[in-house]
DNA sequence: GCGACAG
DNA sequence: ATCTTGTCGC
């Protein structure tokens, strides 16, 4: 009910992720030209008495036309607390529920959060790839410090980036998707390389947001769904 | 006690 | 993530 169980749970979470680690492959599992549908995933939360509830929305766009081709959502009680470094365990249950409602099969998922840019290389985007069996990209709006390493601010120019290198390994990169706007943090989820991840993210940027369209739309959608669910 | 802290 | 109005600027 408190500290011992909490530490034990974190140990279990770490064990699960350590076992997945060897299966990460940062090479494209596909041809970029055959990417057609890209899904954006995001969640929003609210309280019901002492309980925490959440909704997960997935928005799929056509990578070429940028039109929305499908939207689904799931919702329910959130049973895992937010623990920095273990976001996957809190959010993935609802993500899986939403994915099961899809009629289209996305070629790629973009998550609101990190992927390989993570202490154990197991941010939500990377962890999710093993449950979805699809390539994934992680896009975070802020930096979760790793081993006391800071990031270098990229130039104030659209498309500028700086790699985040730790122990001689590239974990991810900051990316200035829009001029005069804070950069985002892009990293591989799985079965894709960082350059391709960056290219795809940049191709999903419009004047509405610094975030890739599918993630931005999923974000907006979670707010609508939450409002709808609360007013009942 | 204090600082850190993806979402 | 969430609580929240106006306001400065393109």
């Amino acid at each position: 009910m408190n500290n011992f169980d909490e530490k034990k749970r974190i140990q279990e979470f770490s064990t699960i992720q350590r076992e997945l680690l060897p299966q990460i492959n940062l090479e494209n599992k596909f041809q970029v030209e055959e990417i057609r549908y890209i899904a954006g995933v995001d969640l929003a939360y609210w309280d019901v008495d002492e309980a925490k509830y959440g909704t997960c929305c997935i928005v799929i766009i056509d990578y070429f036309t940028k039109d929305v081709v499908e939207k689904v959502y799931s919702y329910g009680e959130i049973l895992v607390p937010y623990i920095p470094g273990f976001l996957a365990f809190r959010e993935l249950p609802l993500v899986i529920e939403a994915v099961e409602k899809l009629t289209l099969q996305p070629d790629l998922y973009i998550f609101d959060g990190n992927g390989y840019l993570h202490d154990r290389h197991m941010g939500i985007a990377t962890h999710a790839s093993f449950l979805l069996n699809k390539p994934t990209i992680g896009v975070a709006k802020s930096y979760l410090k790793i081993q006391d390493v800071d990031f270098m601010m990229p130039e104030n120019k659209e498309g500028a980036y700086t790699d985040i290198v730790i122990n001689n390994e590239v974990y991810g990169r900051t990316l200035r998707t829009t001029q005069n706007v804070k950069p985002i943090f892009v990293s591989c989820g799985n079965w894709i390389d960082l350059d391709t991840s960056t290219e795809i993210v940049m191709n999903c940027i419009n004047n509405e947001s610094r975030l890739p369209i599918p993630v931005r739309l999923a974000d907006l959608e979670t707010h609508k769904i939450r409002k709808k669910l609360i007013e009942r």
Side-chain angles (χ1 to χ4, degrees):
Chain A
M1 192 171 177
N2 26 25
N3 232 296
F4 287 150
D5 297 328
E6 195 62 30
K7 270 196 169 180
K8 192 159 189 175
R9 174 156 56 179
I10 289 178
Q11 304 267 343
E12 291 166 355
F13 286 170
S14 300
T15 300
I16 292 171
Q17 297 192 321
R18 271 203 310 274
E19 291 172 355
L20 292 173
L21 195 57
Q23 299 178 58
I24 298 176
N25 184 344
L26 304 188
E27 291 174 12
N28 293 347
K29 190 187 189 181
F30 53 86
Q31 291 297 310
V32 179
E33 309 78 52
E34 61 193 24
I35 295 280
R36 181 165 183 198
Y37 297 134
I38 297 185
V41 185
D42 194 23
L43 286 84
Y45 299 90
W46 69 95
D47 296 317
V48 174
D49 297 325
E50 298 301 278
K52 179 75 74 182
Y53 274 70
T55 177
C56 171
C57 296
I58 299 179
V59 175
I60 302 180
I61 66 165
D62 181 304
Y63 186 44
F64 189 71
T65 67
K66 304 295 187 291
D67 291 330
V68 173
V69 292
E70 182 162 28
K71 293 194 291 192
V72 298
Y73 73 86
S74 63
Y75 68 95
E77 188 175 355
I78 301 296
L79 302 169
V80 178
Y82 169 65
I83 305 169
F86 298 90
L87 183 63
F89 296 94
R90 176 175 169 85
E91 302 198 328
L92 288 182
L94 281 184
V95 172
I96 299 306
E97 269 192 49
V99 167
E100 289 170 348
K101 296 183 180 182
L102 291 173
T103 63
L104 296 176
Q105 287 305 304
D107 299 301
L108 172 69
Y109 286 84
I110 302 180
F111 282 80
D112 190 336
N114 295 313
Y116 200 75
L117 179 59
H118 180 277
D119 235 349
R120 303 178 303 283
H121 294 318
M122 272 294 159
I124 187 169
T126 304
H127 193 140
S129 72
F130 298 113
L131 307 178
L132 306 177
N133 200 32
K134 288 288 179 183
T136 58
I137 297 174
V139 170
K141 297 181 290 297
S142 62
Y143 180 58
L144 175 58
K145 209 170 191 179
I146 298 170
Q147 293 174 36
D148 213 41
V149 175
D150 281 309
F151 68 88
M152 301 292 289
M153 191 59 83
E155 285 181 65
N156 184 12
K157 179 182 175 185
E158 181 180 308
Y161 63 82
T162 61
D163 285 350
I164 297 168
V165 183
I166 296 155
N167 295 327
N168 281 322
E169 185 183 15
V170 176
Y171 276 46
R173 63 175 49 146
T174 69
L175 175 62
R176 186 87 66 174
T177 60
T178 308
Q179 191 171 30
N180 298 323
V181 178
K182 288 191 303 181
I184 60 175
F185 302 82
V186 176
S187 60
C188 304
N190 199 2
W191 300 314
I192 187 169
D193 62 52
L194 189 53
D195 285 336
T196 303
S197 299
T198 303
E199 174 191 337
I200 290 174
V201 166
M202 282 308 299
N203 282 331
C204 285
I205 299 300
N206 60 20
N207 296 326
E208 313 281 286
S209 168
R210 67 180 167 132
L211 298 174
I213 297 170
V215 171
R216 176 53 178 161
L217 294 180
D219 176 41
L220 294 173
E221 192 65 14
T222 58
H223 295 326
K224 291 180 193 169
I225 299 300
R226 176 176 57 190
K227 183 176 172 67
K228 187 173 85 176
L229 292 176
I230 289 179
E231 296 173 346
R232 289 189 171 182

